Amino acid sequence: QVQLVESGGGLVQAGGSLRLSCAASGRIFSSYFMAWFRQAPGKERELVAFIRWSGGITYIADSMKDRFTISRDNAKDTVYLHVSSLKPEDTALYYCAAGSIAGTNQRSYAYWGQGTQVTVSS
């Protein structure tokens, strides 16, 4: 069983930056992948990035790779998503997820947090 809690969201102006955090607890295996998804109102949930808990493998969606980065601190059991040069279209609820395999589909991940809201104003 894995528990995930996101934090760090908020209201920012266009061009601003945030660091989102995902604190994990429970049984996290080195082979697990940790991912960030986002979902805007009326739209489908989409993959933002993922990272292998033990390191060595990272992925960022093509449309966001120039502005977003993913990292982890195993000592703190925490995964981060750094978002910069934010645009109004980045406004969404951002979720942290964990699973035994990587994937672009949300069903690849068995464990989910409750999400943290990012709102970008113009």
Side-chain angles (χ1 to χ4, degrees):
Q1 185 68 40
V2 176
Q3 296 81 44
L4 305 173
V5 180
E6 304 96 331
S7 63
L11 174 64
V12 298
Q13 292 185 338
S17 301
L18 289 170
R19 186 183 73 171
L20 309 184
S21 298
C22 173
S25 62
R27 300 183 67 186
I28 304 173
F29 298 96
S30 296
S31 60
Y32 276 18
F33 287 82
M34 310 295 292
W36 287 94
F37 286 78
R38 70 182 185 182
Q39 187 168 22
K43 295 186 177 180
E44 296 182 355
R45 191 170 299 182
E46 64 175 339
L47 176 68
V48 175
F50 64 72
I51 186 169
R52 189 169 63 180
W53 188 247
S54 60
I57 299 176
T58 59
Y59 168 87
I60 303 173
D62 286 344
S63 62
M64 291 169 271
K65 62 183 179 181
D66 59 334
R67 300 185 296 117
F68 293 5
T69 60
I70 187 169
S71 62
R72 86 273 189 267
D73 186 339
N74 294 104
K76 296 182 179 180
D77 293 330
T78 301
V79 176
Y80 303 99
L81 182 70
H82 296 260
V83 297
S84 62
S85 300
L86 286 165
K87 307 172 183 178
E89 50 263 44
D90 293 319
T91 295
L93 188 63
Y94 285 71
Y95 295 93
C96 180
S100 60
I101 60 172
T104 58
N105 191 285
Q106 61 183 308
R107 288 184 166 82
S108 297
Y109 301 90
Y111 306 101
W112 292 83
Q114 295 300 116
T116 185
Q117 179 69 35
V118 173
T119 302
V120 184
S121 65
S122 60

